[in-house]
Amino acid sequence: MKLAIFFDRDGTINEEVGYIRNLDDMKLIAGAGAALKSVNEAGFLAILATNQSGPARGYYDETWIEKLHERLELLLADEGARLDDIYYCPHLPDGTVPAYSGVCRCRKPEVGMLEDAANKWNLDLNRSYMIGDKATDVEAGQKAGCKTILLRSGYGAQVLAGTYQWPCTPSFIANDIFEAVAWALADAGRRLDACE
């Protein structure tokens, strides 16, 4: 079975600037390209799993999310990195657009995106990792059986301070995506050595 590192998007790979309505506002966090490149080189799948409720809120349609992800992939490619797959949830329980309003299995902290990726790629979720800046990322990863890393970037510092979302207990707390990936790859190596 294959192993993956799942990534949240905003505040994790790209700068947290709210709902992005201008492509130029999609900018990588320093070190994100190098971090994902190291995931690629280590043989892990790098998979995006992100809540994107803009369509449910009536801010823009799904084609705009696709354009943002095209921009993200180009920015990563410029640094020699790639995402192997992209999953996003456009839903919101109390959305204003009926087609996207309601409870779903894919909006983190639910595990639909991670389970769909596991089925597609034959992933071992128990040996995979989830990296993000919110308690929802940590909880989704934990529900799926992954080890989890909470970043201090994005909303992470507020989660840790108890002023955003709810308390959570990740496997590791990292200052940024580069430190998070380094820890995950080192931990995966330790777990592999323990099995031999």
Side-chain angles (χ1 to χ4, degrees):
M1 298 181 79
K2 298 176 183 176
L3 307 181
I5 299 182
F6 293 95
F7 295 91
D8 179 47
R9 195 188 82 181
D10 305 310
T12 299
I13 297 176
N14 60 278
E15 295 177 2
E16 174 59 66
V17 294
Y19 292 92
I20 302 175
R21 293 180 172 85
N22 185 324
L23 285 178
D24 291 337
D25 291 335
M26 169 69 77
K27 297 176 182 176
L28 294 181
I29 287 176
L36 267 82
K37 184 176 180 181
S38 67
V39 173
N40 303 148
E41 291 174 346
F44 279 69
L45 291 172
I47 299 177
L48 190 72
T50 176
N51 290 345
Q52 295 296 322
S53 63
R57 298 177 191 272
Y59 295 165
Y60 39 72
D61 59 28
E62 285 191 71
T63 59
W64 181 245
I65 297 175
E66 292 164 8
K67 288 179 182 177
L68 289 172
H69 288 157
E70 288 171 6
R71 161 86 171 162
L72 180 62
E73 289 183 296
L74 287 172
L75 292 172
L76 290 170
D78 286 344
E79 299 201 19
R82 72 176 187 280
L83 289 166
D84 293 292
D85 211 343
I86 293 175
Y87 294 84
Y88 68 88
C89 172
H91 309 113
L92 193 66
D94 55 352
T96 59
V97 177
Y100 297 103
S101 183
V103 176
C104 65
R105 59 178 286 277
C106 56
R107 182 173 175 80
K108 294 176 295 186
E110 298 307 318
V111 297
M113 291 186 283
L114 280 65
E115 288 178 342
D116 289 347
N119 290 332
K120 176 179 177 179
W121 293 98
N122 190 31
L123 299 178
D124 183 347
L125 291 176
N126 291 319
R127 293 174 57 216
S128 296
Y129 298 80
M130 175 75 214
I131 299 174
D133 66 318
K134 296 179 181 176
T136 47
D137 300 315
V138 172
E139 188 171 322
Q142 289 172 337
K143 286 182 178 180
C146 301
K147 281 200 172 183
T148 58
I149 304 170
L150 179 68
L151 304 179
R152 294 183 189 276
S153 60
Y155 286 99
Q158 294 175 53
V159 172
L160 291 168
T163 59
Y164 183 80
Q165 291 190 334
W166 54 85
C168 61
T169 307
S171 307
F172 184 70
I173 297 170
N175 289 317
D176 55 37
I177 186 175
F178 193 82
E179 183 183 10
V181 165
W183 183 87
L185 294 178
D187 183 70
R190 289 190 294 270
R191 294 166 82 182
L192 183 60
D193 290 343
C195 292
E196 292 179 349

